[in-house]
Amino acid sequence: MAVSWRSCLSLLVVIMLAINNVTASNSPEEAKQFQSLNNSTMANRLSEENVPNHEKHAVDDPDMVASMVDMSIRNSTERRKLGFFSCGSGNPIDDCWRCDRNWQRNRKRLADCAIGFGRNAIGGRDGKYYVVTDAGDDDPVNPRPGTLRHAVIQDRPLWIVFKRDMVITLKQELIMNSFKTIDGRGVNVHIAYGACITVQFVTNIIIHGINIHDCKPTGNAMVRSSPGHYGWRTMADGDGISIFGSSHVWVDHNSLANCADGLIDAIMGSTAITISNNYFTHHNEVMLLGHSDSYVRDKIMQVTIAYNHFGEGLIQRMPRCRHGYFHVVNNDYTHWEMYAIGGSASPTINSQGNRYLAPANPFAKQVTHRVEPSEGEWKRWNWRSDGDLMLNGAYFTPSGRGAGASYARASSLAAKSSSLVGTLTSNAGALNCRRGRQC
């Protein structure tokens, strides 16, 4: 039986209306749920029901990403060898943007330079610039326009820069909203002597070129987290940067020291993170990756730690890992008092091309530390050292399947790069960039 064109048209209209109704009915609820997560207070941070599922941000093959880091380093080093970049350092992140004399006009190019698990963090690349002109933080509930707090809570993507040198002493945690870049290049910016940065239940964050130090515990106060919401915050620990239930985060070229708790903590299912080119000094428990041994959602955690300098006055946790997958590559460890890399709950730790300089203490030469497992248990954990340079008696105790499938394939670069670590990390920390010059 023939069907008229009017009947077909009517059927098509009905289908389109049905699809529109489904979309309209779902969107407000999803938005409400996300807003609730984004604005959770400290009191309910540990409620598992409120932790978003970031498994979609985890890569299917962590070894593939680790191999990509290897390839990126090799390509950059070979370009330097061939003289393609007159300013090239062999550091693929820096060589991506630092050779440009007009970097200040092309700031957002930085968003294309990340590597490793956090390589897709775009921050505020797709938004406007926001210029911070006011170092004050008088009112965490109603921040003044022009302040850093007013910038980071906005609902739209923003690339945040600073008009001049400033020291920002925060009264309460700086709670960031999604799709933000804090870019301190060209000025000398310190977040210090008060609260520091919280990245909670958000995505696509870049923190670059900031001095973060002397962070204090704060809380038991109202704090705004978006233009439409503020809430009660219980006491925060005093971390330099606290990453909580978040994904696609890149922390690059910052100088961090002397905070009340950790310098960088990433917990509660955070993933897709790169921590690179930072300079860590004068601190006890430097970096915690993973909430607790019992919090199995951290098995999705994937973190790349690359080109950092772990310097004077450090004691332990560079990092301390739980669950998850951690690629530690081309870092310079020049000081620790207890150990460099520790962990529990069977994390996979892939250490490649690092330089480990052990302390004089004959009882602290070991790079690694397993936290309270039986020997039969930790021997099954996948920890390996590949091409690392061990100095002054440093040694790495491997375990697990050795060169098995859980690790990225090693390249010839690994052994070579360990001898270049001094060059690769020579500019770690906040850079002294000036307009019109290569940074």
Side-chain angles (χ1 to χ4, degrees):
M1 180 174 65
V3 179
S4 70
W5 67 270
R6 289 186 177 87
S7 299
C8 292
L9 181 60
S10 299
L11 180 60
L12 180 60
V13 170
V14 170
I15 293 172
M16 292 178 66
L17 287 173
I19 293 173
N20 185 61
N21 288 337
V22 170
T23 304
S25 63
N26 286 344
S27 297
E29 181 60 31
E30 291 172 355
K32 181 179 179 181
Q33 182 182 13
F34 181 80
Q35 183 72 8
S36 175
L37 292 175
N38 188 42
N39 296 321
S40 297
T41 63
M42 180 69 80
N44 63 17
R45 291 182 195 184
L46 300 182
S47 171
E48 292 194 4
E49 291 77 16
N50 287 331
V51 178
N53 183 358
H54 289 296
E55 291 186 14
K56 63 182 179 180
H57 301 302
V59 298
D60 293 332
D61 185 359
D63 295 333
M64 177 186 67
V65 176
S67 296
M68 289 171 61
V69 174
D70 270 348
M71 184 63 69
S72 182
I73 298 167
R74 178 164 53 191
N75 289 343
S76 181
T77 304
E78 289 304 312
R79 285 194 297 268
R80 178 172 178 261
K81 179 180 177 182
L82 295 172
F84 289 172
F85 285 114
S86 60
C87 72
S89 66
N91 180 320
I93 296 173
D94 286 357
D95 290 350
C96 176
W97 68 272
R98 288 186 63 193
C99 296
D100 183 4
R101 289 181 177 272
N102 294 316
W103 59 266
Q104 75 278 8
R105 298 179 184 175
N106 303 311
R107 286 179 178 270
K108 292 183 180 180
R109 181 179 178 182
L110 178 68
D112 299 323
C113 297
I115 63 172
F117 292 121
R119 68 195 184 281
N120 292 324
I122 63 171
R125 183 194 66 190
D126 298 334
K128 296 181 178 180
Y129 287 100
Y130 186 114
V131 181
V132 175
T133 59
D134 185 345
D137 187 41
D138 296 334
D139 190 346
V141 175
N142 297 298
R144 290 193 304 272
T147 61
L148 179 58
R149 187 179 300 277
H150 184 266
V152 301
I153 66 171
Q154 300 304 312
D155 287 330
R156 62 190 185 278
L158 289 173
W159 196 280
I160 302 164
V161 298
F162 299 83
K163 185 176 182 179
R164 61 180 181 277
D165 296 352
M166 57 182 68
V167 177
I168 300 173
T169 300
L170 298 165
K171 287 190 172 181
Q172 300 294 335
E173 296 168 273
L174 187 75
I175 304 175
M176 297 190 67
N177 212 335
S178 292
F179 294 97
K180 300 292 181 294
T181 297
I182 299 178
D183 180 358
R185 288 175 294 177
V187 289
N188 186 15
V189 175
H190 293 250
I191 297 176
Y193 312 117
C196 286
I197 299 173
T198 295
V199 179
Q200 179 181 327
F201 297 142
V202 293
T203 187
N204 282 279
I205 299 294
I206 299 174
I207 302 171
H208 182 100
I210 307 295
N211 298 278
I212 302 169
H213 57 93
D214 296 286
C215 302
K216 310 297 183 186
T218 57
N220 291 333
M222 292 289 187
V223 182
R224 186 169 294 278
S225 57
S226 72
H229 180 272
Y230 64 90
W232 182 259
R233 305 290 290 184
T234 56
M235 290 300 294
D237 295 331
D239 296 325
I241 300 174
S242 175
I243 305 170
F244 190 105
S246 297
S247 63
H248 300 304
V249 178
W250 183 25
V251 180
D252 184 60
H253 269 301
N254 303 286
S255 298
L256 300 100
N258 194 35
C259 292
D261 194 38
L263 295 182
I264 299 177
D265 283 6
I267 62 172
M268 303 302 287
S270 296
T271 192
I273 299 167
T274 292
I275 299 169
S276 57
N277 292 311
N278 300 288
Y279 185 32
F280 301 95
T281 58
H282 302 292
H283 197 76
N284 179 8
E285 298 176 338
V286 177
M287 191 184 306
L288 174 66
L289 305 176
H291 174 61
S292 68
D293 289 2
S294 61
Y295 193 79
V296 295
R297 289 188 181 183
D298 279 333
K299 287 183 178 181
I300 69 168
M301 184 177 289
Q302 296 168 330
V303 182
T304 299
I305 301 167
Y307 319 127
N308 301 286
H309 183 183
F310 295 92
E312 64 271 15
L314 300 181
I315 297 176
Q316 60 178 319
R317 296 190 176 185
M318 303 171 231
R320 191 254 200 251
C321 308
R322 294 184 173 106
H323 305 292
Y325 186 98
F326 306 94
H327 190 201
V328 183
V329 56
N330 293 122
N331 300 283
D332 198 6
Y333 291 84
T334 58
H335 191 95
W336 70 80
E337 292 187 17
M338 292 177 61
Y339 65 89
I341 297 175
S344 60
S346 190
T348 295
I349 298 176
N350 188 18
S351 173
Q352 294 185 303
N354 301 284
R355 181 167 67 177
Y356 295 108
L357 175 64
N361 182 355
F363 302 104
K365 301 289 188 182
Q366 185 174 188
V367 172
T368 51
H369 174 62
R370 276 82 172 176
V371 182
E372 298 182 352
S374 65
E375 182 174 352
E377 179 184 354
W378 70 255
K379 282 191 172 181
R380 295 192 297 270
W381 299 355
N382 292 318
W383 294 24
R384 80 162 181 181
S385 170
D386 176 25
D388 293 322
L389 180 61
M390 304 291 178
L391 301 174
N392 198 35
Y395 66 98
F396 186 111
T397 302
S399 57
R401 291 175 287 174
S406 65
Y407 299 111
R409 296 295 180 186
S411 69
S412 60
L413 175 68
K416 180 180 179 182
S417 64
S418 63
S419 67
L420 296 174
V421 162
T423 300
L424 296 171
T425 63
S426 61
N427 292 307
L431 296 165
N432 183 24
C433 298
R434 290 294 176 259
R435 292 177 174 83
R437 301 179 182 178
Q438 292 176 350
C439 190

